[in-house]
Amino acid sequence: MDQLWLWIGFNAFVLAMLAVDLFVFHREAHEVRLREAAAWSVVWIVLALLFGAGVYGFMGREAGLEYYTGYLIEKALSVDNIFVFVLIFTSFGVPARYQHRVLFWGILGALLMRGAMIAAGAYLIQQFHWIIYIFGAFLVFTGIRTAMHDADDFDTESSLPIRVIRRLMPVTNAYHGQRFFVREQGHRRSRLMATPLFVVLALVETTDLIFAVDSIPAIFAVTQDPFIVYSSNVFAILGLRALYFLLADVIHRFHYLKAGLSTVLVFVGLKMLAIDVYKMPIGISLGVIALVLGVSVAASWLRPARS
């Protein structure tokens, strides 16, 4: 019963914060400036750290370190989303004042998808221990693939969501404010049409689903506690919008970050594969991941990419 109220209370808090974000601070569509993005980034990071302190205090040192490690992994991997978001918004020429609305509903959908995927993953690991080895091998493969993959290779026009939407319903040629659907009058009757903003939303949701397939197994390499996996995931995702507006213009400066993320994925994959032979202390895991990410960011800053 205590666990049930913990889940209910946490989700009620998340929904309340999302409601405040949408209906108070972003009631009117506007371009999110750097100062606002920085303030919201600090808010979400502080809330995540405070929640981790609560986990540490009420659930113990091990659970607290697991939460912080999971949060750090998810926060780092979410940066990869930003590369693709920049490409999508640029390709579709999405006005800056409508980008927050797309990311808000995209992240709300992402929370629902990830909740379902975490529940499924926790059930599978509990029922079939050997699933851990599949997750581990998949993470090693994903880490190697990430190192070789370029976000600029993402083709928006030929992607599956675009083809499906255009086959199911017509799409307007222009944006209609921040609306996802409009009714346009034809020769005989009006018809419901999707706007380009809905197409962009579909791409954002698909992108997050793809990244979730990579990142959620990485959290299970740290802990199999569904609540810690879920809460660390949620806080990382909730801060993604602010992080996007904060880093969108400078994200390509961190050119070594992709190598760092790849290394982290391979590390946690190998850790998962070796779990029955050697269970690495969570403090060491947290230190290794923080060191790898810190070195990749510092190297990017000290040695900028050549134009």
Side-chain angles (χ1 to χ4, degrees):
M1 183 59 71
D2 290 340
Q3 278 283 328
L4 177 61
W5 283 110
L6 186 65
W7 282 89
I8 292 174
F10 179 74
N11 282 295
F13 166 77
V14 171
L15 292 175
M17 290 297 296
L18 288 173
V20 169
D21 186 357
L22 182 63
F23 297 113
V24 178
F25 292 100
H26 296 94
R27 188 172 183 177
E28 299 293 333
H30 66 276
E31 181 178 352
V32 178
R33 302 290 183 179
L34 185 64
R35 185 174 179 179
E36 181 183 355
W40 273 105
S41 291
V42 170
V43 167
W44 287 120
I45 290 173
V46 168
L47 286 174
L49 295 178
L50 288 175
F51 184 83
V55 172
Y56 193 101
F58 288 100
M59 300 177 67
R61 177 181 179 276
E62 188 79 3
L65 291 177
E66 287 175 351
Y67 167 84
Y68 282 126
T69 305
Y71 175 72
L72 180 60
I73 291 173
E74 278 300 318
K75 195 71 173 175
L77 292 177
S78 70
V79 175
D80 226 14
N81 292 49
I82 295 176
F83 284 98
V84 182
F85 290 168
V86 170
L87 180 60
I88 292 172
F89 287 146
T90 302
S91 299
F92 282 86
V94 180
R97 62 185 179 277
Y98 302 143
Q99 291 177 8
H100 179 273
R101 180 173 175 82
V102 172
L103 292 177
F104 177 89
W105 291 107
I107 286 171
L108 185 60
L111 292 176
L112 295 174
M113 286 190 297
R114 287 182 180 234
M117 293 174 69
I118 289 169
Y123 174 80
L124 288 173
I125 289 176
Q126 187 177 21
Q127 298 297 318
F128 310 103
H129 179 72
W130 50 266
I131 290 288
I132 288 179
Y133 300 117
I134 295 179
F135 281 178
F138 178 73
L139 287 174
V140 172
F141 167 77
T142 300
I144 297 172
R145 185 195 64 183
T146 300
M148 301 170 61
H149 176 71
D150 188 352
D152 292 335
D153 294 337
F154 184 79
D155 188 355
T156 55
E157 285 301 315
S158 64
S159 64
L160 180 61
I162 300 295
R163 298 200 306 269
V164 171
I165 291 171
R166 288 178 173 165
R167 179 165 295 186
L168 293 176
M169 67 187 311
V171 179
T172 63
N173 294 323
Y175 289 99
H176 289 256
Q178 54 181 344
R179 298 166 66 183
F180 293 123
F181 300 96
V182 294
R183 280 199 173 274
E184 291 198 350
Q185 189 66 39
H187 293 295
R188 297 183 177 179
R189 60 185 178 85
S190 64
R191 59 176 179 170
L192 185 67
M193 301 183 69
T195 68
L197 205 64
F198 177 74
V199 175
V200 172
L201 175 62
L203 281 175
V204 167
E205 293 283 16
T206 305
T207 298
D208 184 77
L209 177 62
I210 293 170
F211 281 111
V213 171
D214 295 342
S215 65
I216 287 177
I219 304 296
F220 280 112
V222 175
T223 178
Q224 277 86 60
D225 187 317
F227 183 74
I228 294 177
V229 174
Y230 178 70
S231 58
S232 60
N233 233 276
V234 166
F235 272 114
I237 293 300
L238 287 176
L240 181 58
R241 284 165 301 148
L243 194 63
Y244 165 79
F245 291 111
L246 187 65
L247 298 180
D249 292 333
V250 298
I251 190 66
H252 293 290
R253 182 182 178 94
F254 300 102
H255 55 286
Y256 288 122
L257 185 57
K258 189 170 288 294
L261 295 175
S262 302
T263 303
V264 168
L265 286 173
V266 172
F267 168 72
V268 295
L270 293 174
K271 180 174 177 287
M272 191 172 259
L273 289 172
I275 194 169
D276 288 329
V277 177
Y278 172 69
K279 187 173 182 179
M280 184 177 294
I282 191 64
I284 295 178
S285 296
L286 179 58
V288 169
I289 293 168
L291 177 64
V292 169
L293 295 175
V295 168
S296 64
V297 170
S300 300
W301 193 263
L302 296 174
R303 297 189 61 182
R306 295 179 179 177
S307 303

